[in-house]
Amino acid sequence: MTLADAAEELVRLGTDFHRRSWMLGTSGNLSVVLARDPLRVAITASSIDKGRMHPRQILEIDNQGVMMRAAEGKPSAETLLHLEVIRSIGAGAVMHTHSVWTTVLSDYHHANGGFHIEGYEMLKGLEGVHTHEHREWIPVLDNNQDMSILAAQAQELFAAHSNIHGLLVRRHGMYTWGKDLATAARHVEILEFLMEAVGRRQMMEPQFS
Ligand SMILES: [Zn+2]
């Protein structure tokens, strides 16, 4: 994938996710692998308004998050976590959203380290899942402004749970990924649906712990 193609796709996805309230204001970031060896990644620049994105705001970075060519803006601190997901899981694309439901559920379930989603037909939209009886673990990491700490925690998490499709950061949002851009974007839709369904269902029968 060329940087120009990646930029067009990331702008399209970011604009769509903004419209659906998953990346409001300057929140969230999206990335896609351009080449593996050496690693080159296209990623949204820091602090850009997701409702007014432009292809010039998509940066090309290397495996350390260093910009490879001039562009508008600089890489977000959250770039480190994108690179960790790409390295640890071998993901081809990483999506980070800040929706209301992922924020609420990450807060509610943080004390337990996460929660399971099971029994929902929509789980079949996750790569490798073929039945609604699947039990998906959604881990919750504590939020931290030091992204190197968060990236190290994610690395430990991936070593222990290689089959997860996403993770939450407490009172912050969600990271999900996929082998390519289409799969990662689908995982955003599926997980955001599931989070809202689980959150709304839970509100009908509050389980205060
Ligand atoms: Zn964020």
Side-chain angles (χ1 to χ4, degrees):
M1 189 178 237
T2 66
L3 177 62
D5 289 343
E8 191 180 323
E9 283 295 303
L10 293 183
V11 167
R12 187 183 61 77
L13 283 172
T15 305
D16 184 36
F17 292 170
H18 173 270
R19 187 179 57 78
R20 298 204 239 178
S21 301
W22 300 336
M23 286 177 46
L24 291 177
T26 57
S27 70
N29 29 63
L30 309 173
S31 67
V32 61
V33 172
L34 298 172
R36 288 275 175 196
D37 193 19
L39 185 68
R40 294 288 182 268
V41 175
I43 189 164
T44 48
S46 177
S47 304
I48 58 171
D49 189 328
K50 300 306 183 300
R52 300 163 190 273
M53 288 174 69
H54 190 280
R56 283 194 307 270
Q57 298 168 320
I58 306 301
L59 317 176
E60 181 177 345
I61 57 169
D62 69 3
N63 62 345
Q64 303 295 316
V66 174
M67 277 173 70
M68 302 308 292
R69 60 176 97 186
E72 257 182 42
K74 58 180 178 51
S76 154
E78 291 174 314
T79 298
L80 275 184
L81 199 36
H82 283 250
L83 290 171
E84 188 56 52
V85 175
I86 289 166
R87 263 195 298 265
S88 295
I89 300 211
V94 183
M95 317 256 114
H96 172 47
T97 54
H98 284 206
S99 70
V100 170
W101 287 106
T102 58
T103 303
V104 168
L105 288 176
S106 68
D107 191 20
Y108 189 84
H109 292 287
H110 172 257
N112 297 321
F115 57 102
H116 284 100
I117 300 179
E118 59 183 316
Y120 287 90
E121 182 70 12
M122 280 289 263
L123 285 163
K124 288 161 63 181
L126 300 175
E127 193 78 352
V129 175
H130 304 294
T131 169
H132 66 281
E133 292 174 347
H134 173 73
R135 191 168 154 86
E136 180 77 16
W137 174 243
I138 308 288
V140 180
L141 298 179
D142 207 359
N143 197 17
N144 200 313
Q145 296 304 316
D146 184 341
M147 292 307 292
S148 62
I149 291 176
L150 211 45
Q153 287 175 344
Q155 191 178 34
E156 276 177 35
L157 185 70
F158 297 144
H161 302 274
S162 59
N163 54 350
I164 55 174
H165 294 84
L167 66 87
L168 301 186
V169 182
R170 188 188 186 195
R171 295 183 180 176
H172 180 159
M174 175 175 77
Y175 281 81
T176 185
W177 48 82
K179 63 183 181 206
D180 52 29
L181 206 50
T183 308
R186 189 179 83 234
H187 285 168
V188 172
E189 289 200 337
I190 296 292
L191 287 172
E192 288 290 356
F193 174 94
L194 287 167
M195 299 290 169
E196 183 168 348
V198 165
R200 286 181 182 271
R201 181 70 183 86
Q202 196 175 317
M203 284 177 70
M204 292 177 180
E205 296 177 57
Q207 300 155 34
F208 297 109
S209 55

